[in-house]
Amino acid sequence: MNLHRTVRIAAGAAMAASSLAIVSLVAPLGSTAASAATACSPSALPKAKTNITFWESMSSANETLIQSLVKQFNSSQTKVHVTDVNQSGGYVQTWDDYLTSLKGGAPPNVVMLDQYITQGAVDSHSIIPVSRCVAGTHYSTATFAKKTILEETVGGQLQGLPYSVSAPVLIYNKQAFALAKIKAPPATVEQMAADAKILKAAGAKAKDAKLPLTDGMTIKLDPWYLQVWQGVSDTYFVNNQNGRTARARAAAFNDSTGLATFTQLQSIVKNHDAVTNPSTGSTAVAYSNLYQIGYGKSGMTIDTSATLGTILADLHLFKNVTLGVAPFPRLTTHVTGGVQPGGNALFIPAKPNTSAAKLAASWEFIQYLDSAVNMATWDVGTGYVPIRTDAARESSMVAFWKKYPSLKAAYTEIMSGKVDNATAGPLLGDYYTVNNNLATYMNDLLSSPFNASNSPATVLSNASKAVTKDIQTYNSSL
């Protein structure tokens, strides 16, 4: 099973150390790279074929599709050849290997990075902002979702071109909801808690072997959701407006939104209406929330919309499941912000792109992947969100949504709501250490026995202090 937030490797501390070392080793972009970055024009491509390397972080069905797109690009023209290199460990391995390559190895010409590592990429002084290529070739980002462009903008420059974007959605079994006589999916966390209780009670009463519903829902211990709930409430995950008006220096989620999030999640588990699973580990472990629905043991869960392509491919194996997808449940019906985009972007490292030909070749490839027609192909096959309005109008995308109308929920979430520093998500140089640390506190929050030491307020306060320390440790290394 392949998904947007590709199963993370528990290597936060080691990777953080590598990151801090690289920041001190890599010099700012030299004049050669800077001058080469002013055009990115295809006129710089020689008659002889220019070879470039692309690192990506996909797996399973998504990996097969990205390889297919690379092959299509290579056969579509004669001036550029792309060698695809898959980083099987996902985003974390890609970032760690990229930093290692800067020490003297061979960095890729184009690299796919988690959108939340953009500040770290900027701090490494190793990338050419794609805004230079955008300006140099008069490339238009007018049809792109505004949130995704803002998300990738640091210091007034677009650093990477958004590519694969997803949003957290409610995934549920319509058959389980019918058994429990629930007519519509929950729109709020409070409704979600009530429905979880009803689902579990219905399973106990019906005693259906195909739908035992031993648990109302399964909650993945993914810190990403806290970020998203902050954005939906138009509040910040870290200070200085998510690190976008100045570098982030402290956590900001120890507020009423964070407390409401932690309190309601703990309440669902404490009342025995939900179980949890980690967001790291093997596929069977990190996505057991989806398998629980497949086995009829759980009625619903929250996960990334990027799971949907793989879910649809495997759905025929689970006859007791009729897939339902709904928007991410809000903390309240009064929504002031919007859902943050998750996913990845395509970056141009400076070291291997010092020649005008290499830079032009890299930019040609990025534009090909991000074209409306290829983005639609990618999104139909994976469950990612088309972040270009013209991609959403492609016939393949229109036909896909006609067949699966509920799967348009993630697109609607990304395209709607405020476009501001809260909904663009946080800029953090050492995002993975923060993320892994916060996951530990979420485990504390949702672990029995429930007492004063893991009350929502206490856990939230401790998590905030730990994240602030992570941020300050990273900042002091710069």
Side-chain angles (χ1 to χ4, degrees), residues 147 327 330 385 401 407-417:
K147 287 180 192 174
R330 275 51 173 172
V385 175
W401 281 337
L407 270 61
K408 195 175 181 179
Y411 173 77
T412 303
E413 288 184 333
I414 296 300
M415 292 296 183
S416 61

Side-chain angles (χ1 to χ4, degrees), residues 145-148 165-169 232 305 308 325-328 330 335 337-341 383-389 392 397 401 404-419 423:
K146 291 181 174 58
K147 287 180 192 174
T148 67
V165 169
S166 64
V169 290
V232 167
S305 60
L308 299 175
V325 180
F328 184 68
R330 275 51 173 172
V335 176
V339 171
Q340 296 174 7
Y384 283 108
V385 175
I387 56 172
R388 295 179 57 143
T389 54
M397 201 76 242
W401 281 337
Y404 304 107
S406 63
L407 270 61
K408 195 175 181 179
Y411 173 77
T412 303
E413 288 184 333
I414 296 300
M415 292 296 183
S416 61
K418 286 184 178 179
V419 179
T423 62

